[in-house]
Amino acid sequence: MIDILSQHTRDIVKSTAPVLAEHGTTITTVFYRNLFEAHPELLNVFNHANQAQGRQQAALANAVYAAAVHIDNLENILPAVVQIAHKHVSLGIKPEHYPIVGEFLLKAIKEVLGDAATDEILSAWEAAYGVIANAFIGVEDSMYKEAREQEHGWNFFKPFTVVRKVQESGSITSFYLKPTDGSNVPDYKPGQYISVRVLIPGEQYTMIRQYSLSQAPKPDEFRISVKREETNDPNGVVSVYLHNQVNEGDTVEVSAPAGEFLLDTSIITPVAFISGGVGITPMMSMLETVANVTPDRPVVFLHSARNESLAAFGTDIEKHAASLSNVKTRTFYSGGPDGVITGEILKSYVDVTGDAYVCGPVPFMEAMIGELRKLGMTEAQIHYEFFGPALQLSNA
Protein backbone atom coordinates (compact mmCIF):
# COMPACT_ATOMS: atom_id res chain seq x y z
CA MET A 1 0.00 0.00 0.00
CA ILE A 2 2.85 2.37 0.83
CA ASP A 3 5.14 1.73 -2.14
CA ILE A 4 2.65 3.22 -4.58
CA LEU A 5 3.35 6.70 -3.20
CA SER A 6 6.67 8.40 -3.89
CA GLN A 7 8.71 9.76 -0.99
CA HIS A 8 8.15 13.27 -2.34
CA THR A 9 4.37 12.78 -2.27
CA ARG A 10 4.51 11.40 1.27
CA ASP A 11 6.63 14.32 2.42
CA ILE A 12 4.12 16.81 1.05
CA VAL A 13 1.16 15.02 2.67
CA LYS A 14 2.99 14.84 6.02
CA SER A 15 3.79 18.53 5.87
CA THR A 16 0.06 19.33 5.70
CA ALA A 17 -0.77 17.50 8.96
CA PRO A 18 -0.59 20.66 11.15
CA VAL A 19 -2.88 22.50 8.73
CA LEU A 20 -5.37 19.61 8.86
CA ALA A 21 -5.26 19.63 12.65
CA GLU A 22 -6.23 23.31 12.56
CA HIS A 23 -8.70 23.39 9.65
CA GLY A 24 -9.83 19.75 9.35
CA THR A 25 -13.40 20.18 10.58
CA THR A 26 -13.89 23.33 8.47
CA ILE A 27 -12.69 21.41 5.40
CA THR A 28 -14.97 18.43 6.05
CA THR A 29 -17.96 20.69 6.77
CA VAL A 30 -17.45 22.39 3.39
CA PHE A 31 -16.91 18.96 1.82
CA TYR A 32 -20.25 17.56 3.01
CA ARG A 33 -22.14 20.74 2.12
CA ASN A 34 -20.85 20.74 -1.46
CA LEU A 35 -21.13 16.96 -1.82
CA PHE A 36 -24.81 16.90 -0.90
CA GLU A 37 -25.60 19.92 -3.08
CA ALA A 38 -24.15 18.12 -6.09
CA HIS A 39 -25.26 14.59 -5.14
CA PRO A 40 -28.40 14.80 -2.99
CA GLU A 41 -29.01 11.09 -3.62
CA LEU A 42 -26.20 10.36 -1.15
CA LEU A 43 -28.48 11.65 1.60
CA ASN A 44 -30.13 8.23 1.28
CA VAL A 45 -26.93 6.74 2.72
CA PHE A 46 -25.48 9.28 5.18
CA ASN A 47 -26.81 9.66 8.72
CA HIS A 48 -28.58 13.03 8.83
CA ALA A 49 -28.39 13.17 12.63
CA ASN A 50 -24.60 12.81 12.64
CA GLN A 51 -24.44 15.55 10.02
CA ALA A 52 -26.66 17.87 12.07
CA GLN A 53 -24.55 17.35 15.19
CA GLY A 54 -21.21 17.73 13.39
CA ARG A 55 -20.12 14.23 14.40
CA GLN A 56 -19.57 12.96 10.86
CA GLN A 57 -17.52 16.05 9.99
CA ALA A 58 -15.31 15.57 13.05
CA ALA A 59 -14.91 11.85 12.37
CA LEU A 60 -13.83 12.44 8.77
CA ALA A 61 -11.43 15.19 9.88
CA ASN A 62 -9.86 12.73 12.34
CA ALA A 63 -9.51 10.12 9.59
CA VAL A 64 -7.89 12.54 7.12
CA TYR A 65 -5.49 13.82 9.79
CA ALA A 66 -4.57 10.23 10.77
CA ALA A 67 -3.82 9.45 7.12
CA ALA A 68 -1.48 12.44 6.92
CA VAL A 69 0.34 11.55 10.14
CA HIS A 70 0.77 7.87 9.18
CA ILE A 71 1.40 8.32 5.46
CA ASP A 72 4.87 6.72 5.81
CA ASN A 73 3.33 3.60 7.30
CA LEU A 74 -0.31 3.34 6.32
CA GLU A 75 -0.51 -0.14 7.89
CA ASN A 76 -0.90 1.78 11.15
CA ILE A 77 -4.36 2.94 10.09
CA LEU A 78 -5.52 -0.47 8.83
CA PRO A 79 -7.41 -1.26 12.07
CA ALA A 80 -9.36 1.99 11.60
CA VAL A 81 -9.91 1.16 7.93
CA VAL A 82 -11.40 -2.21 8.89
CA GLN A 83 -13.66 -0.66 11.54
CA ILE A 84 -14.95 2.00 9.13
CA ALA A 85 -15.25 -0.57 6.33
CA HIS A 86 -17.66 -2.62 8.47
CA LYS A 87 -19.82 0.49 8.77
CA HIS A 88 -19.54 1.20 5.03
CA VAL A 89 -20.63 -2.34 4.13
CA SER A 90 -23.60 -2.10 6.48
CA LEU A 91 -24.60 1.17 4.76
CA GLY A 92 -24.16 -0.16 1.23
CA ILE A 93 -21.19 2.01 0.19
CA LYS A 94 -19.99 1.02 -3.29
CA PRO A 95 -16.67 1.47 -5.18
CA GLU A 96 -18.24 4.12 -7.45
CA HIS A 97 -18.83 6.36 -4.42
CA TYR A 98 -15.08 6.83 -3.78
CA PRO A 99 -14.16 8.99 -6.80
CA ILE A 100 -17.07 11.32 -5.96
CA VAL A 101 -15.86 11.68 -2.37
CA GLY A 102 -12.28 12.24 -3.55
CA GLU A 103 -13.32 14.97 -5.98
CA PHE A 104 -15.24 16.93 -3.35
CA LEU A 105 -12.63 16.42 -0.63
CA LEU A 106 -9.95 17.99 -2.84
CA LYS A 107 -12.29 20.84 -3.79
CA ALA A 108 -13.00 21.48 -0.11
CA ILE A 109 -9.28 21.58 0.73
CA LYS A 110 -8.81 24.14 -2.04
CA GLU A 111 -11.85 26.21 -1.00
CA VAL A 112 -10.79 26.43 2.66
CA LEU A 113 -7.02 26.80 2.24
CA GLY A 114 -7.11 28.97 -0.89
CA ASP A 115 -3.68 29.74 -2.36
CA ALA A 116 -2.01 27.71 0.39
CA ALA A 117 -3.40 24.60 -1.33
CA THR A 118 -0.95 24.61 -4.23
CA ASP A 119 -1.27 22.32 -7.24
CA GLU A 120 1.57 20.26 -5.80
CA ILE A 121 -0.24 19.78 -2.47
CA LEU A 122 -3.52 18.90 -4.21
CA SER A 123 -1.75 16.42 -6.50
CA ALA A 124 -0.09 14.76 -3.51
CA TRP A 125 -3.41 14.46 -1.70
CA GLU A 126 -5.09 13.12 -4.83
CA ALA A 127 -2.48 10.36 -4.99
CA ALA A 128 -2.76 9.64 -1.26
CA TYR A 129 -6.55 9.55 -1.41
CA GLY A 130 -6.37 7.10 -4.31
CA VAL A 131 -4.21 4.70 -2.29
CA ILE A 132 -6.44 4.95 0.79
CA ALA A 133 -9.64 4.62 -1.27
CA ASN A 134 -8.27 1.49 -2.93
CA ALA A 135 -7.51 0.05 0.51
CA PHE A 136 -11.12 0.63 1.57
CA ILE A 137 -12.49 -0.78 -1.69
CA GLY A 138 -10.36 -3.91 -1.34
CA VAL A 139 -11.31 -4.53 2.31
CA GLU A 140 -14.98 -3.85 1.61
CA ASP A 141 -15.00 -6.11 -1.45
CA SER A 142 -13.84 -9.04 0.68
CA MET A 143 -16.44 -8.19 3.34
CA TYR A 144 -19.22 -8.06 0.75
CA LYS A 145 -18.03 -11.39 -0.66
CA GLU A 146 -18.03 -13.01 2.78
CA ALA A 147 -21.51 -11.63 3.60
CA ARG A 148 -22.88 -12.73 0.22
CA GLU A 149 -21.39 -16.24 0.23
CA GLN A 150 -22.17 -17.25 3.82
CA GLU A 151 -25.21 -19.45 4.32
CA HIS A 152 -28.41 -17.35 4.08
CA GLY A 153 -26.27 -14.29 3.33
CA TRP A 154 -26.90 -11.29 1.08
CA ASN A 155 -25.48 -7.88 0.15
CA PHE A 156 -27.00 -4.47 0.75
CA PHE A 157 -30.60 -4.45 2.04
CA LYS A 158 -33.27 -7.13 2.31
CA PRO A 159 -36.91 -6.86 3.51
CA PHE A 160 -37.60 -8.14 7.03
CA THR A 161 -40.94 -8.38 8.82
CA VAL A 162 -41.44 -7.26 12.42
CA VAL A 163 -42.87 -10.42 13.99
CA ARG A 164 -42.83 -9.23 17.60
CA LYS A 165 -42.45 -5.89 19.36
CA VAL A 166 -41.69 -6.01 23.10
CA GLN A 167 -41.22 -3.11 25.51
CA GLU A 168 -38.12 -3.76 27.63
CA SER A 169 -38.08 -0.57 29.74
CA GLY A 170 -39.44 2.96 29.80
CA SER A 171 -37.24 3.86 26.82
CA ILE A 172 -36.16 0.61 25.09
CA THR A 173 -38.28 -1.61 22.84
CA SER A 174 -37.17 -4.84 21.17
CA PHE A 175 -38.06 -5.68 17.58
CA TYR A 176 -37.93 -9.31 16.47
CA LEU A 177 -37.22 -9.43 12.73
CA LYS A 178 -37.60 -12.30 10.27
CA PRO A 179 -36.83 -12.32 6.52
CA THR A 180 -40.00 -11.51 4.61
CA ASP A 181 -39.18 -14.24 2.06
CA GLY A 182 -39.35 -16.92 4.78
CA SER A 183 -35.63 -17.78 4.65
CA ASN A 184 -33.34 -18.14 7.64
CA VAL A 185 -30.75 -15.57 8.75
CA PRO A 186 -26.96 -15.96 8.66
CA ASP A 187 -25.03 -16.81 11.79
CA TYR A 188 -23.39 -13.82 13.45
CA LYS A 189 -20.93 -13.10 16.22
CA PRO A 190 -22.14 -11.74 19.58
CA GLY A 191 -21.57 -7.97 19.56
CA GLN A 192 -22.28 -7.38 15.86
CA TYR A 193 -24.90 -4.98 14.52
CA ILE A 194 -27.23 -4.63 11.56
CA SER A 195 -28.39 -1.56 9.67
CA VAL A 196 -32.09 -0.82 9.41
CA ARG A 197 -33.26 1.31 6.48
CA VAL A 198 -36.64 3.04 6.53
CA LEU A 199 -38.51 5.57 4.43
CA ILE A 200 -40.45 7.67 6.91
CA PRO A 201 -43.68 9.22 5.56
CA GLY A 202 -43.08 12.88 4.77
CA GLU A 203 -39.29 12.48 4.49
CA GLN A 204 -37.56 12.86 1.12
CA TYR A 205 -34.71 10.42 1.75
CA THR A 206 -34.36 6.99 3.27
CA MET A 207 -32.69 6.85 6.69
CA ILE A 208 -30.29 4.20 7.93
CA ARG A 209 -29.37 3.44 11.53
CA GLN A 210 -27.17 0.74 13.05
CA TYR A 211 -28.52 -1.34 15.95
CA SER A 212 -26.70 -4.03 17.91
CA LEU A 213 -28.13 -7.51 17.74
CA SER A 214 -29.39 -8.02 21.29
CA GLN A 215 -29.76 -11.77 21.56
CA ALA A 216 -27.56 -14.79 20.88
CA PRO A 217 -27.68 -16.03 17.27
CA LYS A 218 -30.94 -17.73 16.30
CA PRO A 219 -31.45 -19.52 12.98
CA ASP A 220 -34.53 -17.64 11.83
CA GLU A 221 -34.57 -14.17 13.39
CA PHE A 222 -32.70 -11.07 14.51
CA ARG A 223 -33.54 -9.02 17.57
CA ILE A 224 -32.68 -5.35 17.92
CA SER A 225 -33.51 -3.25 20.97
CA VAL A 226 -33.99 0.43 20.24
CA LYS A 227 -33.85 3.33 22.68
CA ARG A 228 -36.46 5.96 22.00
CA GLU A 229 -34.69 9.31 21.75
CA GLU A 230 -36.37 12.65 22.30
CA THR A 231 -38.56 13.82 19.44
CA ASN A 232 -36.59 17.07 19.03
CA ASP A 233 -33.23 15.22 19.01
CA PRO A 234 -31.86 14.64 15.46
CA ASN A 235 -30.99 11.13 16.63
CA GLY A 236 -34.64 10.59 17.50
CA VAL A 237 -36.20 10.66 14.03
CA VAL A 238 -35.78 6.96 13.30
CA SER A 239 -36.18 5.69 16.87
CA VAL A 240 -39.42 7.62 17.37
CA TYR A 241 -40.70 6.28 14.04
CA LEU A 242 -39.86 2.69 15.03
CA HIS A 243 -41.45 3.08 18.47
CA ASN A 244 -44.59 4.90 17.34
CA GLN A 245 -45.33 3.78 13.81
CA VAL A 246 -43.67 0.43 13.09
CA ASN A 247 -45.85 -2.41 14.36
CA GLU A 248 -45.96 -6.18 14.20
CA GLY A 249 -46.48 -7.23 10.58
CA ASP A 250 -44.74 -4.16 9.14
CA THR A 251 -41.63 -4.39 6.96
CA VAL A 252 -38.20 -2.73 7.28
CA GLU A 253 -35.03 -3.21 5.22
CA VAL A 254 -32.04 -4.82 6.91
CA SER A 255 -28.34 -5.28 6.08
CA ALA A 256 -26.28 -8.36 6.91
CA PRO A 257 -24.55 -8.41 10.33
CA ALA A 258 -21.30 -6.42 10.57
CA GLY A 259 -18.88 -5.04 13.13
CA GLU A 260 -15.81 -6.16 15.02
CA PHE A 261 -16.85 -5.61 18.65
CA LEU A 262 -16.89 -9.36 19.14
CA LEU A 263 -17.01 -11.76 22.05
CA ASP A 264 -14.23 -14.35 21.88
CA THR A 265 -16.21 -17.56 22.37
CA SER A 266 -13.13 -19.80 22.13
CA ILE A 267 -11.82 -19.00 25.62
CA ILE A 268 -13.12 -19.63 29.15
CA THR A 269 -11.10 -17.04 31.06
CA PRO A 270 -12.98 -14.52 33.26
CA VAL A 271 -15.06 -11.92 31.43
CA ALA A 272 -16.74 -8.70 32.62
CA PHE A 273 -19.56 -6.98 30.73
CA ILE A 274 -19.88 -3.31 31.72
CA SER A 275 -22.61 -1.21 30.13
CA GLY A 276 -24.41 2.10 30.46
CA GLY A 277 -27.86 2.89 29.09
CA VAL A 278 -28.64 1.37 25.71
CA GLY A 279 -25.04 0.11 25.60
CA ILE A 280 -26.51 -2.98 27.26
CA THR A 281 -27.81 -4.26 23.90
CA PRO A 282 -24.66 -6.00 22.54
CA MET A 283 -23.94 -7.26 26.07
CA MET A 284 -27.22 -9.19 26.05
CA SER A 285 -26.09 -11.13 22.98
CA MET A 286 -22.73 -11.80 24.63
CA LEU A 287 -24.20 -12.82 28.02
CA GLU A 288 -26.71 -15.21 26.42
CA THR A 289 -23.96 -16.72 24.25
CA VAL A 290 -21.72 -17.39 27.26
CA ALA A 291 -24.69 -18.96 29.07
CA ASN A 292 -25.33 -21.22 26.05
CA VAL A 293 -21.77 -22.08 25.00
CA THR A 294 -19.39 -21.79 27.99
CA PRO A 295 -21.63 -21.81 31.11
CA ASP A 296 -18.68 -22.44 33.46
CA ARG A 297 -16.86 -19.28 32.36
CA PRO A 298 -16.59 -16.75 35.24
CA VAL A 299 -18.85 -13.80 34.35
CA VAL A 300 -19.46 -10.34 35.81
CA PHE A 301 -22.35 -8.30 34.42
CA LEU A 302 -22.52 -4.66 35.57
CA HIS A 303 -25.07 -2.24 34.17
CA SER A 304 -25.78 1.43 34.86
CA ALA A 305 -29.21 2.99 34.20
CA ARG A 306 -30.62 6.33 35.29
CA ASN A 307 -33.40 4.70 37.31
CA GLU A 308 -35.29 1.44 37.69
CA SER A 309 -37.90 2.26 35.02
CA LEU A 310 -35.12 2.68 32.43
CA ALA A 311 -33.30 -0.56 33.33
CA ALA A 312 -33.97 -3.06 30.54
CA PHE A 313 -33.70 -6.85 30.36
CA GLY A 314 -33.89 -7.62 34.08
CA THR A 315 -35.75 -10.89 33.47
CA ASP A 316 -33.40 -11.92 30.65
CA ILE A 317 -30.33 -11.20 32.78
CA GLU A 318 -31.71 -13.38 35.59
CA LYS A 319 -32.55 -16.18 33.14
CA HIS A 320 -29.09 -16.22 31.56
CA ALA A 321 -27.36 -15.88 34.94
CA ALA A 322 -29.24 -18.98 36.15
CA SER A 323 -27.45 -20.99 33.44
CA LEU A 324 -24.00 -19.84 34.60
CA SER A 325 -22.07 -21.57 37.36
CA ASN A 326 -19.92 -18.55 38.31
CA VAL A 327 -21.68 -15.21 37.80
CA LYS A 328 -22.11 -11.87 39.54
CA THR A 329 -24.66 -9.34 38.25
CA ARG A 330 -25.53 -5.91 39.53
CA THR A 331 -27.49 -2.93 38.23
CA PHE A 332 -26.65 0.60 39.34
CA TYR A 333 -28.98 3.56 39.21
CA SER A 334 -27.06 6.77 38.63
CA GLY A 335 -30.02 8.78 39.95
CA GLY A 336 -30.39 6.71 43.12
CA PRO A 337 -28.48 5.65 46.24
CA ASP A 338 -26.46 3.04 44.34
CA GLY A 339 -24.83 5.80 42.34
CA VAL A 340 -22.45 5.22 39.47
CA ILE A 341 -20.00 2.40 38.81
CA THR A 342 -16.77 3.54 40.46
CA GLY A 343 -13.19 2.33 40.31
CA GLU A 344 -13.65 0.72 43.72
CA ILE A 345 -16.67 -1.22 42.47
CA LEU A 346 -14.76 -2.39 39.41
CA LYS A 347 -11.88 -3.46 41.65
CA SER A 348 -14.22 -5.57 43.78
CA TYR A 349 -15.99 -7.24 40.83
CA VAL A 350 -13.63 -7.47 37.85
CA ASP A 351 -10.98 -10.18 37.55
CA VAL A 352 -8.16 -8.24 35.89
CA THR A 353 -6.61 -11.43 34.48
CA GLY A 354 -9.55 -11.77 32.08
CA ASP A 355 -11.27 -9.53 29.55
CA ALA A 356 -13.67 -6.62 29.88
CA TYR A 357 -16.27 -5.48 27.33
CA VAL A 358 -17.52 -1.89 27.68
CA CYS A 359 -20.35 -0.15 25.84
CA GLY A 360 -22.39 2.98 26.52
CA PRO A 361 -22.29 6.76 26.20
CA VAL A 362 -18.80 8.13 25.48
CA PRO A 363 -18.30 9.78 28.94
CA PHE A 364 -19.33 6.52 30.64
CA MET A 365 -16.90 4.53 28.52
CA GLU A 366 -14.04 6.95 29.05
CA ALA A 367 -14.55 6.63 32.80
CA MET A 368 -14.82 2.82 32.76
CA ILE A 369 -11.85 2.28 30.43
CA GLY A 370 -9.74 4.69 32.47
CA GLU A 371 -10.56 2.86 35.70
CA LEU A 372 -9.89 -0.56 34.18
CA ARG A 373 -6.48 0.66 33.01
CA LYS A 374 -5.74 1.91 36.50
CA LEU A 375 -6.47 -1.61 37.73
CA GLY A 376 -3.75 -2.88 35.41
CA MET A 377 -5.77 -4.19 32.48
CA THR A 378 -4.03 -3.86 29.12
CA GLU A 379 -5.32 -2.54 25.81
CA ALA A 380 -5.69 -6.12 24.55
CA GLN A 381 -7.93 -7.02 27.50
CA ILE A 382 -10.34 -4.08 27.16
CA HIS A 383 -12.84 -4.22 24.28
CA TYR A 384 -15.24 -1.38 23.61
CA GLU A 385 -17.73 0.00 21.16
CA PHE A 386 -19.62 3.27 21.05
CA PHE A 387 -22.46 4.25 18.80
CA GLY A 388 -22.00 6.76 15.98
CA PRO A 389 -19.08 7.71 13.71
CA ALA A 390 -15.53 6.82 14.67
CA LEU A 391 -14.91 9.71 17.01
CA GLN A 392 -11.85 9.26 19.17
CA LEU A 393 -12.13 8.54 22.87
CA SER A 394 -10.04 11.14 24.66
CA ASN A 395 -8.13 8.49 26.61
CA ALA A 396 -8.05 5.82 23.92
Side-chain angles (χ1 to χ4, degrees), residues 348-371:
S348 65
Y349 276 92
V350 177
D351 186 330
V352 296
T353 67
D355 286 81
Y357 291 80
V358 184
C359 189
V362 172
F364 170 85
M365 295 207 322
E366 288 181 335
M368 295 301 100
I369 292 167
E371 294 296 344

Side-chain angles (χ1 to χ4, degrees), residues 30-43 100 103-104 107 205:
V30 168
F31 157 75
Y32 281 116
R33 184 193 70 211
N34 294 344
L35 176 70
F36 294 141
E37 281 179 9
H39 293 275
E41 73 279 2
L42 292 176
L43 288 165
I100 299 170
E103 176 193 347
F104 282 89
K107 284 180 177 177
Y205 301 104

